[in-house]
Amino acid sequence: MASNSSAVDPAALALIYPMPTGDPSVTSKVLASIWIMFTISTIFLGLRVYCRSIRTKTMWWDDYLLITGWVLMLVAVALQTEIFRDGYLVTALSGPIISPANLASDSVMKISLAFSKTSFSVMLLRVTKKGWVPWVIYACTAIMDIACLVHAVLTWRASCGVPAASFNWQPCWSTDSGIWMNMIGAIISAVTDFILALVPIYVVWGLQMPRREKYGVAVAMGIGILAGAVAVLRAVEANQVTKVVGPAFSYRLADLSIWIHAEADAALVACSIPALRVLFRDFKKYFTTSSRSRSNGQQYIRSNQQSKFHGGMNSSIAGATTVKPDNDSETSILSDKNGIRQTRHVIIEYDTPNHHKYGEQGIELESQRKPPSRRP
């Protein structure tokens, strides 16, 4: 009598349960994506720190919060690198190293996201101190941070039907609950990002500054909408993960891992861009000045160590002789004794500490230029 085989057909399991992909390219795709995005966000943060600590010489709490978020992001990226090198989503979905490291990476990433977005809220609160807008910022920040903290804790909850490890806590929940939690968190993050991105428009529009400058500041500070857009895409991807099984589950989960890191990187970039306006302004001023010097033959003198092209421009015109004008253009440039007098215009640029008034984030909130004075 033939005995019944206890072997389970892998094809049948693929129709019911999530399975690894068996595709080594998944590891390369995920690691290349997260490290490239981390490098880009690091460059933006480095430029922000340069502008704040060296150019404007003011470091505030929002800077330190953002740096803390970057450090936590580095830890999360390092943990993800370790588990993917161990075969996560390629040969295994769990393991003695993969499982705790994956959960730790997810938790650290959520805390990093909370620090980065709180940094942006702190910046907004420094320029918005009256009325109802600060309360909106407080509410959005509290909701966002609580959602990130809850996610960081619940991700360690045991899954029903799966043997619980020593690092899991009870009671258990369904295996796809973590994916749903990720999707809900992404929606909350997107909504709060969009609201906070609109705050700068309201704040800047009431300032006494040129309309062109208002547009620039509003766009720079409202770039947080980028992080909100990435959060929406993360929510969409999380929803797709819940609809597939077999190797397709691991492929989708790999894409979701990339979007999770993308949101944190986008938040860090969005928080760094407003502080870079001082850098953009200096580049524009440098090239404009150089172009004017070449076209007009004027000489620009950097007189001392304070001339760093980040203050205003004070101009003095020396060597000109005032001659009583008449209706003849020729005699207007002639003196009685010396014939034609050549005048030389020298424009001296130097920094003045009171010329520009900056918001504490390095953003121009007032810009005035005084006309050059002429001696009689």
Side-chain angles (χ1 to χ4, degrees):
M1 182 177 177
S3 60
N4 294 330
S5 176
S6 59
V8 180
D9 184 8
L13 289 177
L15 298 175
I16 304 174
Y17 300 106
M19 296 184 66
T21 62
D23 183 4
S25 66
V26 170
T27 298
S28 302
K29 173 185 176 181
V30 174
L31 293 184
S33 299
I34 64 178
W35 277 105
I36 289 174
M37 291 186 296
F38 179 75
T39 301
I40 294 173
S41 62
T42 300
I43 292 173
F44 274 88
L45 177 63
L47 291 174
R48 173 194 169 109
V49 173
Y50 165 75
C51 291
R52 296 303 306 277
S53 63
I54 298 178
R55 302 304 298 273
T56 62
K57 301 185 184 302
T58 53
M59 291 285 286
W60 295 86
W61 281 108
D62 53 337
D63 298 297
Y64 298 117
L65 288 172
L66 198 59
I67 293 173
T68 302
W70 177 86
V71 172
L72 293 173
M73 190 190 306
L74 176 61
V75 173
V77 172
L79 290 173
Q80 284 287 295
T81 302
E82 180 62 27
I83 65 174
F84 274 96
R85 285 180 175 175
D86 285 347
Y88 179 57
L89 299 182
V90 177
T91 60
L93 296 180
S94 61
I97 296 178
I98 291 177
S99 294
N102 190 31
L103 296 178
S105 173
D106 194 21
S107 295
V108 172
M109 182 59 70
K110 291 301 175 292
I111 298 175
S112 169
L113 187 63
F115 271 98
S116 298
K117 296 192 175 185
T118 301
S119 170
F120 185 74
S121 298
V122 171
M123 180 192 69
L124 291 179
L125 287 172
R126 286 210 318 273
V127 297
T128 312
K129 300 179 179 180
K130 296 181 180 180
W132 53 270
V133 176
W135 294 105
V136 173
I137 299 174
Y138 283 128
C140 289
T141 305
I143 293 172
M144 182 171 52
D145 289 348
I146 291 173
C148 289
L149 182 60
V150 169
H151 186 135
V153 173
L154 290 182
T155 193
W156 295 88
R157 189 173 179 179
S159 298
C160 299
V162 179
S166 59
F167 50 80
N168 295 129
W169 57 277
Q170 300 289 343
C172 66
W173 59 358
S174 61
T175 54
D176 62 347
S177 295
I179 303 298
W180 283 101
M181 179 181 62
N182 213 312
M183 182 169 58
I184 295 173
I187 294 173
I188 294 175
S189 181
V191 172
T192 53
D193 282 343
F194 290 143
I195 294 175
L196 292 178
L198 296 176
V199 169
I201 299 177
Y202 175 83
V203 174
V204 172
W205 226 248
L207 298 178
Q208 297 297 323
M209 60 192 305
R211 186 178 295 271
R212 183 178 179 182
E213 287 293 317
K214 288 182 179 181
Y215 288 141
V217 174
V219 170
M221 297 181 68
I223 201 68
I225 198 170
L226 172 66
V230 175
V232 171
L233 295 175
R234 177 166 73 93
V236 172
E237 191 61 42
N239 184 49
Q240 295 297 321
V241 173
T242 63
K243 298 179 179 180
V244 294
V245 292
F249 173 85
S250 294
Y251 279 111
R252 286 290 188 181
L253 195 57
D255 292 339
L256 179 60
S257 298
I258 294 174
W259 283 114
I260 289 174
H261 286 262
E263 183 184 4
D265 287 306
L268 197 148
V269 170
C271 291
S272 299
I273 286 179
L276 304 187
R277 289 195 72 248
V278 61
L279 207 59
F280 298 150
R281 185 202 64 214
D282 288 355
F283 276 126
K284 180 180 178 182
K285 178 181 176 181
Y286 174 78
F287 288 114
T288 302
T289 302
S290 299
S291 176
R292 189 187 307 121
S293 177
R294 289 192 299 268
S295 61
N296 297 337
Q298 295 173 331
Q299 296 181 358
Y300 292 82
I301 300 175
R302 297 178 64 185
S303 57
N304 53 35
Q305 296 179 353
Q306 292 181 343
S307 299
K308 299 177 181 177
F309 291 98
H310 69 273
M313 182 178 73
N314 288 356
S315 302
S316 61
I317 302 178
T321 301
T322 303
V323 180
K324 183 178 181 181
D326 58 17
N327 295 327
D328 188 346
S329 60
E330 294 182 356
T331 59
S332 65
I333 61 173
L334 295 176
S335 64
D336 294 334
K337 298 180 180 180
N338 299 326
I340 298 177
R341 179 183 296 273
Q342 180 181 3
T343 63
R344 184 180 184 184
H345 296 259
V346 179
I347 298 179
I348 302 175
E349 291 195 1
Y350 59 92
D351 296 330
T352 56
N354 297 325
H355 179 74
H356 286 287
K357 293 184 179 179
Y358 294 94
E360 293 165 342
Q361 189 61 24
I363 297 171
E364 297 175 65
L365 297 182
E366 182 178 347
S367 178
Q368 298 178 350
R369 174 173 294 179
K370 296 181 179 180
S373 58
R374 296 179 181 271
R375 295 182 178 179

